[in-house]
Amino acid sequence: MGSAVGHAEKMTPQETFNAVNNLKHRLEENFIQLGQLLSAIKRQKLYAKKGYQSFREFVETEFRLNGALAGKLCAVYDLYIDNLDMDEGTVKQIGFDRLTLVKPLVAKADTFTQDDWIEKAETLPLGQLKQEIKQLKDKQKDKDKDLRAILVDQYLERMRTEFNCSQKDINFKLALYFQDMDLEEVKQVVKTRQRQFESQTQEAKEAKK
């Protein structure tokens, strides 16, 4: 695919660095070309030629670009231009900020849903776009809470069956069990198991995609 900076892979490292310096001052206008160049620098580890250990350190020192912003520029280019092969004119028309807003949703979605979110990014008023994203995230949070509630209900049902008593009595028995325990030790066990639960939940979500 063509680009105003040509193919970054064919440029020398210094030509790539010079091009970033020339384009960075008009970021909104040049975000596609900047993303292409920065992605090439990151992928080919060209920053090492300047003696840097990381991409972030390199862009922040050499270009005075915020590392998180540079990462977003790379991600927008990689997703919309490189992976989805969208027309550069369409990408530029939608704009960097809007594409960044929907990127996490587009990256995880199927083809139909990707097209839907890209169309929303292009056509919806910014406030409405943000509201739809918020609503989707809130629904996902509710699903996560539901999984926690299911775990709690399953455990309490097991306790009620085992002790053959009411929920009120279960709370009393739990109080008896924990009253002399080292709560710092309990907290560490809980933290470990919570991380495991969240990791397993995330893996299950990824497996469904």
Side-chain angles (χ1 to χ4, degrees):
M1 179 173 291
S3 172
V5 296
H7 294 285
E9 290 78 7
K10 296 181 180 180
M11 302 169 69
T12 67
Q14 192 57 52
E15 286 174 339
T16 303
F17 303 152
N18 291 342
V20 172
N21 271 318
N22 290 334
L23 293 168
K24 69 178 182 180
H25 301 294
R26 302 175 70 177
L27 187 147
E28 187 62 36
E29 180 180 338
N30 299 318
F31 72 89
I32 297 174
Q33 293 91 341
L34 276 168
Q36 180 189 28
L37 293 164
L38 291 170
S39 182
I41 291 171
K42 186 176 183 180
R43 185 173 59 255
Q44 299 173 33
K45 297 185 178 181
L46 298 181
Y47 52 84
K49 294 183 180 295
K50 288 275 193 175
Y52 291 92
Q53 297 296 313
S54 70
F55 172 75
R56 186 186 187 101
E57 180 189 10
F58 172 70
V59 296
E60 290 185 344
T61 303
E62 293 289 325
F63 302 137
R64 299 293 190 270
L65 271 178
N66 178 273
L69 174 59
K72 289 177 182 178
L73 287 163
C74 293
V76 164
Y77 175 82
D78 289 344
L79 176 60
Y80 296 103
I81 301 294
D82 199 30
N83 294 342
L84 299 182
D85 199 29
M86 287 180 61
D87 176 72
E88 290 190 11
T90 301
V91 171
K92 188 171 183 179
Q93 180 179 340
I94 297 173
F96 176 69
D97 290 339
R98 285 170 171 267
L99 290 170
T100 300
L101 274 175
V102 300
K103 182 185 69 63
L105 305 174
V106 173
K108 296 178 180 179
D110 56 47
T111 301
F112 177 80
T113 309
Q114 284 178 335
D115 292 341
D116 186 45
W117 276 111
I118 291 170
E119 182 179 354
K120 287 179 178 180
E122 185 174 9
T123 60
L124 290 181
L126 185 59
Q128 186 178 344
L129 178 63
K130 289 180 177 180
Q131 184 61 30
E132 292 210 13
I133 293 171
K134 182 178 183 301
Q135 288 173 352
L136 185 64
K137 289 181 177 179
D138 288 344
K139 286 181 182 178
Q140 188 59 58
K141 287 180 182 178
D142 289 340
K143 288 181 181 179
D144 292 343
K145 289 178 183 177
D146 289 344
L147 290 174
R148 291 187 179 194
I150 290 170
L151 178 66
V152 171
D153 289 343
Q154 289 175 339
Y155 179 76
L156 290 177
E157 179 61 28
R158 179 182 169 192
M159 291 281 290
R160 284 192 292 267
T161 301
E162 186 70 26
F163 288 98
N164 190 26
C165 63
S166 67
Q167 179 61 56
K168 184 176 181 180
D169 284 338
I170 290 295
N171 292 338
F172 172 65
K173 293 179 189 304
L174 288 171
L176 290 174
Y177 178 74
F178 282 106
Q179 67 177 347
D180 294 325
M181 294 189 71
D182 183 342
L183 294 185
E184 284 301 317
E185 183 177 336
V186 172
K187 282 168 62 177
Q188 294 305 314
V189 172
V190 169
K191 284 181 181 179
T192 299
R193 293 185 178 177
Q194 182 173 344
R195 284 195 295 267
Q196 291 173 345
F197 174 80
E198 292 169 351
S199 176
Q200 292 167 354
T201 301
Q202 185 62 35
E203 288 175 3
K205 289 180 193 173
E206 295 295 334
K208 291 179 181 179
K209 293 176 183 177

